Amino acid sequence: MSYFDAASAAPLHPVARQALLAALDEGWADPSRLYREGRRARLLLDAAREAAAEAVGCRPDELVFTSSGTRAAHTGVEGALAGRRRIGRHLIVSAVEHSSVLHSAEVFESAGGTVTRVPVSRAGAVTPEAYRDALRPDTALACLQSANHEVGTVQPVPEVAAVCRAAGVPLLVDAAQSVGWGPVAGDWSVLTASAHKWGGPSGVGLLVVRKGVRFAPQGPADERESGRAAGFENIPAVVAAAASLRAVREEAAREAVRLGELTQRIRVRVPDLVPDVEVVGDPDRRLPGIVTFSCLYVDGEALLHELDRSGFSVSSGSSCTSSTLTPSHVLKAMGVLSEGNVRVSLPPGTPAEEVDRFLSVLPGAVAAVREKLGAPSPRTAAGEDALVVDALGKRCPIPVIELAKVIGDVPVGGTVRVLADDEAARLDIPAWCEMRGQEYGGEEPAEGGRAYLVRRLV
């Protein structure tokens, strides 16, 4: 079985396993106690903090360990906003942030704050100018991920940090996907990360708050971790997280080149091997191990199951995965195709032979799913000047498949109105038009859903 979902959770690094087992025997006591066992646990915790701080590029007393990367993000957003409550109640986030940041923004908004969501390009990147335009006198905090978790696009953090610094606004950076590859550049103020993304154990997050940043931890007071992360420290896991971060950093330069070449091979070969595919994300400014593509006329969940049967573990941002019936917020913000979405994220050490095997299996897997769904073959017949496709009650990618089947039945210049009540149609029909060279005419209310207008150009 080939595991290609490292962006969700990287396999436990061998160094992490060794450190975890050793620390279980030495780091079980309360590090706040003065007896021998407590002092030994404190030494382990302090050493782990120093190692993690060195890797991040901060002072040890600026870094605390939390129970997860999500907890770090929630604490970071809440604490930074509370620390600057006298400045104002305005928060800036990008439209493609991780859900942990976006959920924090929603809570802040429901409590009376205002949130500006900065749009991204079709490649998934923000611009420093967009953040500059979003800044206001009452802006308390801005947030920007270092790299996107779904498509791998690297964000211009140093430039955005400079814009925010000039305005006196702290920038929180979610570095979960990138910190294993290197420190985050730029004059950021708060940083969060998650150990299971770089091969450490789950249940360990990092929260860094630079000196001088106004920060007010929320919730009941707790004396541990500078009052920013309540609860007894999981010292064995923390030690393993720090040890594995140092180890992956030592391997990062070599693996970045190798995995970058493998993902580039996928980016180039997939459109040649599989028709009607859109490779998404920035082609150049991207993380080494992530490549994402979407296949027309394919149910994302069905394709993932097909690949799983062939021995490949991949993930999807498709609107038709088992966890959601709505499109990925990242793909939606980018305006790209969401149906049949596949994210391949290669863990360090992935053999090139396994990537080649994936490329040999993928065309058959896509073809099998398309055949089951009755995907269209090319048609040139012309008929009525206007047709209506009733896809109400049908989920992705069926509305697009039905559209594709009949577009050839109208003459050039003729129109097709697609009736659909699946939210994914709002994203996938315009994306299909762009991929197939047809004109998208917009949407309008219709009984039971929405009507999407498509004009045939070719």
Side-chain angles (χ1 to χ4, degrees):
M1 192 74 180
S2 295
Y3 181 77
F4 286 178
D5 194 22
S8 292
L12 192 67
H13 195 282
V15 168
R17 184 182 300 277
Q18 295 168 4
L20 180 64
L21 293 175
L24 285 172
D25 292 330
E26 297 293 327
W28 50 268
D30 187 341
S32 66
R33 302 307 178 192
L34 298 180
Y35 42 71
R36 181 185 298 110
E37 294 86 355
R39 294 197 306 271
R40 188 181 299 135
R42 170 56 61 181
L43 287 173
L44 288 174
L45 181 59
D46 289 346
R49 195 183 316 278
E50 290 177 6
E54 181 183 3
V56 170
C58 67
R59 294 169 37 161
D61 59 353
E62 294 174 329
L63 184 148
V64 300
F65 295 104
T66 67
S67 59
S68 68
T70 295
R71 183 67 264 170
H74 290 173
T75 302
V77 172
E78 293 166 357
L81 288 171
R84 286 172 51 84
R85 63 169 65 90
R86 293 183 180 179
I87 301 297
R89 298 274 289 162
H90 177 232
L91 169 66
I92 302 172
V93 299
S94 84
V96 294
E97 292 299 308
H98 189 270
S99 59
S100 60
V101 172
L102 295 182
H103 290 162
S104 294
E106 291 169 0
V107 170
F108 176 67
E109 201 168 28
S110 66
T114 58
V115 178
T116 297
R117 294 166 176 83
V118 176
V120 297
S121 68
R122 193 171 177 85
V126 303
T127 64
E129 293 76 18
Y131 268 75
R132 181 182 294 114
D133 293 343
L135 289 166
R136 302 184 338 200
D138 64 338
T139 301
L141 177 67
C143 301
L144 179 63
Q145 58 189 191
S146 57
N148 186 258
H149 50 291
E150 288 194 27
V151 300
T153 296
V154 173
Q155 300 290 359
V157 170
E159 295 83 354
V160 172
V163 166
C164 292
R165 177 67 64 178
V169 174
L171 178 69
L172 182 150
V173 177
D174 169 16
Q177 289 296 335
S178 73
V179 76
W181 298 108
V184 177
D187 197 7
W188 46 265
S189 302
V190 182
L191 180 142
T192 65
S194 185
H196 73 277
K197 301 291 187 180
W198 68 67
S202 59
V204 178
L206 303 183
L207 171 62
V208 179
V209 181
R210 294 286 200 191
K211 290 296 181 182
V213 175
R214 293 180 180 178
F215 193 90
Q218 300 302 286
D222 193 286
E223 70 277 6
R224 297 183 186 273
E225 293 300 296
S226 303
R228 293 172 181 168
F232 196 98
E233 296 93 344
N234 185 347
I235 293 177
V238 163
V239 169
S244 58
L245 181 55
R246 176 177 287 176
V248 298
R249 282 291 188 80
E250 292 174 353
E251 305 161 356
R254 180 181 67 254
E255 277 299 292
V257 172
R258 200 178 69 84
L259 293 186
E261 292 173 350
L262 292 178
T263 52
Q264 181 62 18
R265 185 183 305 178
I266 297 173
R267 288 181 65 86
V268 172
R269 292 288 291 143
V270 165
D272 291 338
L273 295 169
V274 181
D276 298 320
V277 164
E278 181 179 19
V279 181
V280 300
D282 194 290
D284 302 312
R285 289 178 54 87
R286 59 184 303 100
L287 291 175
I290 298 178
V291 57
T292 305
F293 55 90
S294 299
C295 308
L296 273 175
Y297 321 130
V298 169
D299 177 280
E301 186 175 9
L303 180 55
L304 263 58
H305 285 315
E306 195 73 32
L307 290 170
D308 182 56
R309 283 191 288 271
S310 298
F312 293 96
S313 302
V314 299
S315 65
S316 174
S318 170
S319 56
C320 289
T321 60
S322 58
S323 61
T324 179
L325 288 177
T326 59
S328 150
H329 72 277
V330 172
L331 301 179
K332 186 175 182 180
M334 293 168 62
V336 297
L337 184 70
S338 73
E339 65 182 73
N341 179 262
V342 174
R343 180 187 68 183
V344 174
S345 49
L346 306 177
T350 298
E353 295 77 14
E354 288 305 292
V355 171
D356 290 335
R357 190 170 74 85
F358 173 78
L359 291 172
S360 69
V361 164
L362 180 66
V366 174
V369 174
R370 284 175 171 167
E371 183 177 5
K372 291 176 184 176
L373 292 172
S377 55
R379 301 173 66 180
T380 58
E384 299 293 332
D385 288 346
L387 288 175
V388 175
V389 172
D390 186 353
L392 293 171
K394 299 177 180 178
R395 299 299 178 191
C396 66
I398 300 302
V400 178
I401 289 177
E402 295 301 319
L403 166 62
K405 285 181 176 180
V406 303
I407 192 68
D409 293 340
V410 299
V412 173
T415 61
V416 177
R417 293 179 78 245
V418 183
L419 305 179
D421 53 4
D422 182 9
E423 185 182 345
R426 178 173 285 123
L427 179 63
D428 289 347
I429 290 176
W432 178 88
C433 290
E434 182 164 333
M435 291 178 68
R436 306 302 291 172
Q438 310 297 351
E439 179 183 342
Y440 177 61
E443 63 176 276
E444 59 188 21
E447 185 176 355
R450 309 288 294 178
Y452 301 90
L453 183 65
V454 177
R455 181 172 290 103
R456 182 184 175 192
L457 299 182
V458 293

